[in-house]
Amino acid sequence: MRPRFVSSATGLVCPCLQPPAGIELAADRLGLLLDGCASPLLLPTLRRIHSQLLTGGFLPPNPSLAIKLMRAYCACGDPTATRKLFDKSPHRNVIFFNVMIRSYLSHGRHRDALCVFSSMTAHGVRPDHYTYPCLLSACSAAEQLLGGLQVHGAVTKIGLDSNLFVGNTLITMYSRCGRLREAEQVFAGMAYRDAISWNSVIAGCARMGEPSRALEVCKEMVRSGGARPNAATLASLLSAVTDISTGDVTFLREMFDDMPHRGLISWNAMIAIYANNSMAAEAVELYRRMELEGVEPDAVTFVSVLPACGDLSALALGAQIHDLVRRKKNLCPNLFLENALVDMYAKCGHLRAARSVFDEMTQRDVVSWTSMVSAYGMHGLGADAVALFESMRESGLKPDHIAFVAVLSACSHAGLLEEGRRYFRSMTDQYQLTPTVEHFTCMVDLLGRAGRLEEAYGFVKQMPFKPDERVWGALLSACRLHSNIAVGVAAADHLFKLAPAQSGYYVLLSNIYARAGRWGGVAAVRAAMRRRGVKKTPGWSNVELEGRVHTFLMGDRSHIQSPDIYAELAALVGRLKEAGYVAETESALHDVEEEDKEGHLAVHSEKLAIAFALINTAPGTPIRITKNLRVCGDCHSASKIISKITGREIILRDVHRFHHFENGLCSCRDYW
């Protein structure tokens, strides 16, 4: 007999080495060969072994070989062959049934697994402690609550409900079937709980839309001092920890730092938690620490950190990640990753790079097209956005609600009134999509920016649902643009009721009064702010230099280069005035002298960021700035002139859109 049927190099069955004809292998030897078949690539080999078992007379008399053969077919991805063996086996005991149930489970055929269980009674076979957890997993995956209740009753009768594995599976089954109360009852009744027990409850709360409870269970887990949180704990929490408090994020970071072994999943989850809670700087900082500790990032890492790069306008880091993606040949194609790259470049103001990634994609979904349409819209290129939206429709993809928000917003930014009207009508007429508040907000913004304020106000009054803060905010912004006091006051009245603590709306109304010289109105608005304890949101601007993001506040002198920045700014203001710049003081604080107003405007955060970039970058280098608020009229005018006198392109992203300042002009054409 030649014993070289198993590769000495890999330990796997080798398909090119067959046993000599006419020689029977011993049953134990064949069993070892079957154990080596654990890959779909070895399915042809497995079939030859199966044939040898039949011709050698080992089947069906040897049930242990039949079970090994069933398991091997399951591991090789052929549950149909597993079922055929199961059906032909004359002496099916509980092990046969368990293997068959597991085979169906591992291939996602949960209902078939439950059917096999149902047939056990007819064959006189009683389930054992291995059967029930598999059944609960099947009920969980198939969301078969009735079957799960029956299994729960059965395990309780035989005392298996105290088994840790069974208890954990019951928790998962109940939570996936929408019965969170029952899941928590099982958890509360467990004598011993491991990390899986806690994580199962946390995941159930998150899945059922109870984020506060999910976070509270996590805190209980830490306080209990028993099972320690792990990577699965953070991953289970992900969907539940968006827009949480800074304190809760700090708690999760401390939990992450206390983990004795932090694998890739832990790092990815913590980066995503920061990114999902508008803590972009922290997400980027953690990514850099991950690199320093030698943890190899994957596609999930990049998908989590790229939005943070976009939020910070950290183009250098985003481009570095893109280079890593190119060098890791196995990462693309990946729709999630490529869509994240498009979005990152668009938010960083690098529209050409965003379009390049988009054009290189081998597959595109609605998200891909929408990201690019939105990018064109934010940059004021409404015609390009509309053309791309039409290309998406011609490709056969059906636009969804978000795609229509993107194209309507693009029409609004570019003043494409008729195109916007047409798309709004086509939602219902052509695509049977019911417009949501986001679409109505876009239409109000579109009409308002075009100066159709009375029509916009009438549109708001005729909405099929109650207008929210976004709708009235869009109308108020348009009133500021066109100095319409009557409609502006009406919009502001609604906003002060809907969002009494939002300072931006008070500022907009104050600016409307100031533009009209109604200083009594300005005083009344500011008095209302003081009376209600409303404080203006501090403006800040970010600029990236050599991979590090620098943040400036109005009048900020905390930066190490402040003396040089203010010297450059003073020289810049002098050159601005020589070029004809006059400070727009109409919307500055009304209760200070005109000269003080100019000084107040001169130290706005975006001007400090521009001065910083001018002294730290080579001539001709584009300057990219991100601002958390709408850019004021004075900074907008100043930036246009600065771009001309310095020969720099200034790309400024405010809370609403991009402004590309070049040679004294802005891409928004002063329509913002």
Side-chain angles (χ1 to χ4, degrees):
M1 184 182 299
R2 294 168 59 189
R4 291 288 184 181
F5 197 60
V6 177
S7 167
S8 59
T10 65
L12 298 177
V13 179
C14 181
C16 60
L17 300 173
Q18 302 181 45
I23 298 178
E24 292 185 2
L25 297 176
D28 58 345
R29 181 62 174 154
L30 286 168
L32 289 173
L33 296 176
L34 289 172
D35 291 339
C37 292
S39 165
L41 295 174
L42 296 174
L43 189 57
T45 300
L46 177 59
R47 287 173 178 154
R48 285 195 289 272
I49 298 173
H50 187 179
S51 177
Q52 180 68 24
L53 287 168
L54 289 171
T55 57
F58 293 106
L59 294 178
N62 192 323
S64 64
L65 281 177
I67 289 169
K68 282 179 176 286
L69 188 57
M70 287 174 64
R71 287 177 174 148
Y73 271 120
C74 173
C76 289
D78 192 350
T80 302
T82 308
R83 182 57 192 255
K84 287 179 180 177
L85 279 165
F86 175 78
D87 289 338
K88 290 179 180 178
S89 299
H91 306 294
R92 277 171 281 180
N93 57 22
V94 68
I95 300 174
F96 276 89
F97 278 90
N98 288 346
V99 171
M100 193 64 244
I101 290 169
R102 284 200 197 96
S103 177
Y104 278 141
L105 274 179
S106 62
H107 290 87
R109 295 170 61 172
H110 309 109
R111 294 183 185 278
D112 288 332
L114 292 173
C115 288
V116 173
F117 168 68
S118 299
S119 68
M120 289 181 77
T121 305
H123 289 84
V125 178
R126 295 184 62 182
D128 63 9
H129 59 288
Y130 291 110
T131 314
Y132 289 114
C134 292
L135 292 173
L136 288 169
S137 296
C139 293
S140 174
E143 297 184 2
Q144 287 283 324
L145 178 61
L146 182 59
L149 289 168
Q150 291 173 340
V151 176
H152 191 179
V155 297
T156 302
K157 285 181 181 178
I158 60 175
L160 272 178
D161 55 330
S162 60
N163 178 276
L164 177 64
F165 185 41
V166 171
N168 291 343
T169 317
L170 278 167
I171 293 169
T172 302
M173 184 275 296
Y174 278 123
S175 64
R176 285 191 178 173
C177 291
R179 304 295 284 268
L180 189 56
R181 187 173 64 86
E182 286 83 352
E184 293 208 53
Q185 284 176 347
V186 172
F187 177 77
M190 294 175 71
Y192 172 73
R193 304 166 186 148
D194 62 3
I196 296 174
S197 315
W198 289 95
N199 293 344
S200 298
V201 176
I202 292 167
C205 293
R207 190 182 300 112
M208 291 299 296
E210 295 196 21
S212 299
R213 179 59 184 150
L215 196 54
E216 182 55 37
V217 172
C218 183
K219 291 176 181 179
E220 288 175 19
M221 179 183 186
V222 173
R223 287 195 296 265
S224 72
R228 299 189 67 173
N230 55 24
T233 312
L234 279 175
S236 299
L237 276 168
L238 265 182
S239 63
V241 289
T242 299
D243 296 326
I244 58 176
S245 69
T246 304
D248 285 335
V249 176
T250 301
F251 161 75
L252 293 173
R253 177 57 189 266
E254 290 172 352
M255 190 173 81
F256 168 81
D257 289 337
D258 288 341
M259 290 180 182
H261 304 291
R262 292 190 296 268
L264 180 60
I265 294 174
S266 306
W267 288 95
N268 286 349
M270 195 62 232
I271 290 170
I273 288 168
Y274 276 136
N276 293 342
N277 285 281
S278 303
M279 300 175 75
E282 290 82 356
V284 166
E285 180 274 330
L286 190 61
Y287 171 76
R288 292 192 181 282
R289 181 179 158 191
M290 174 182 168
E291 283 187 314
L292 289 173
E293 294 197 12
V295 180
E296 187 76 12
D298 64 359
V300 176
T301 316
F302 297 142
V303 169
S304 298
V305 78
L306 281 169
C309 295
D311 290 341
L312 294 172
S313 289
L315 178 62
L317 178 58
Q320 176 190 328
I321 290 172
H322 190 189
D323 187 54
L324 274 173
V325 170
R326 287 194 190 98
R327 285 190 274 123
K328 290 174 176 281
K329 301 294 185 182
N330 61 330
L331 288 183
C332 284
N334 181 315
L335 269 175
F336 293 105
L337 179 53
E338 291 165 304
N339 288 344
L341 283 166
V342 170
D343 186 63
M344 179 275 296
Y345 278 124
K347 285 182 177 176
C348 288
H350 202 326
L351 206 53
R352 285 193 300 274
R355 184 59 194 255
S356 176
V357 173
F358 177 82
D359 288 339
E360 290 171 6
M361 294 174 70
T362 55
Q363 284 185 314
R364 303 184 190 105
D365 60 4
V366 174
V367 175
S368 315
W369 289 91
T370 301
S371 296
M372 202 64 231
V373 169
S374 179
Y376 279 132
M378 285 183 67
H379 287 262
L381 301 174
D384 293 296
V386 167
L388 194 66
F389 187 82
E390 290 302 320
S391 296
M392 177 180 69
R393 297 209 298 180
E394 290 166 8
S395 75
L397 281 174
K398 179 182 175 181
D400 60 9
H401 282 87
I402 300 174
F404 273 105
V405 169
V407 75
L408 287 171
S409 178
C411 291
S412 174
H413 285 309
L416 303 177
L417 181 59
E418 293 310 314
E419 289 86 344
R421 290 186 198 269
R422 175 164 54 86
Y423 284 127
F424 187 77
R425 288 193 300 267
S426 74
M427 284 186 67
T428 51
D429 295 347
Q430 189 173 351
Y431 293 101
Q432 292 74 52
L433 294 172
T434 302
T436 65
V437 68
E438 286 84 2
H439 304 100
F440 280 95
T441 301
C442 288
M443 285 303 298
V444 171
D445 193 50
L446 177 62
L447 291 166
R449 285 173 186 266
R452 308 286 187 91
L453 290 169
E454 294 299 333
E455 185 180 350
Y457 192 22
F459 188 81
V460 171
K461 291 177 180 178
Q462 294 173 8
M463 284 174 57
F465 37 74
K466 190 175 181 179
D468 69 0
E469 178 187 345
R470 290 166 290 183
V471 175
W472 291 114
L475 187 59
L476 182 61
S477 295
C479 291
R480 186 212 61 82
L481 183 65
H482 297 287
S483 302
N484 188 310
I485 294 178
V487 177
V489 169
D493 184 55
H494 286 281
L495 286 165
F496 295 160
K497 293 173 183 175
L498 291 168
Q502 175 55 262
S503 65
Y505 301 132
Y506 294 87
V507 173
L508 279 174
L509 182 60
S510 175
N511 288 349
I512 293 171
Y513 280 128
R515 278 192 168 193
R518 300 267 294 267
W519 300 112
V522 173
V525 171
R526 295 189 180 275
M529 290 180 71
R530 287 193 295 271
R531 189 169 61 252
R532 297 170 185 174
V534 178
K535 294 185 178 180
K536 186 177 177 182
T537 304
W540 52 255
S541 295
N542 284 337
V543 60
E544 184 188 37
L545 179 68
E546 296 177 353
R548 183 186 166 196
V549 176
H550 298 257
T551 302
F552 296 91
L553 300 171
M554 186 184 75
D556 192 356
R557 291 184 179 270
S558 63
H559 197 280
I560 192 170
Q561 288 185 272
S562 281
D564 295 333
I565 292 169
Y566 276 85
E568 176 69 19
L569 189 58
L572 199 58
V573 170
R575 293 177 65 189
L576 282 169
K577 289 183 177 179
E578 289 175 5
Y581 163 76
V582 177
E584 295 186 15
T585 59
E586 63 182 19
S587 59
L589 294 172
H590 73 285
D591 52 355
V592 296
E593 295 298 324
E594 199 72 17
E595 186 177 336
D596 291 332
K597 289 181 183 179
E598 287 194 23
H600 174 83
L601 292 168
V603 293
H604 275 193
S605 63
E606 50 266 67
K607 292 191 181 81
L608 293 173
I610 290 171
F612 169 78
L614 286 171
I615 63 176
N616 285 287
T617 58
T621 306
I623 297 172
R624 302 176 191 276
I625 295 169
T626 302
K627 184 173 174 66
N628 68 322
L629 304 174
R630 176 190 170 278
V631 63
C632 75
D634 181 72
C635 287
H636 191 271
S637 298
S639 297
K640 287 195 293 184
I641 301 174
I642 292 170
S643 71
K644 186 173 184 177
I645 64 178
T646 62
R648 297 288 193 105
E649 180 187 7
I650 301 172
I651 301 138
L652 191 153
R653 188 184 91 206
D654 71 9
V655 71
H656 292 303
R657 63 172 298 154
F658 274 90
H659 300 268
H660 289 253
F661 302 101
E662 193 167 13
N663 197 30
L665 300 173
C666 180
S667 61
C668 75
R669 301 188 297 279
D670 299 334
Y671 188 86
W672 95 102

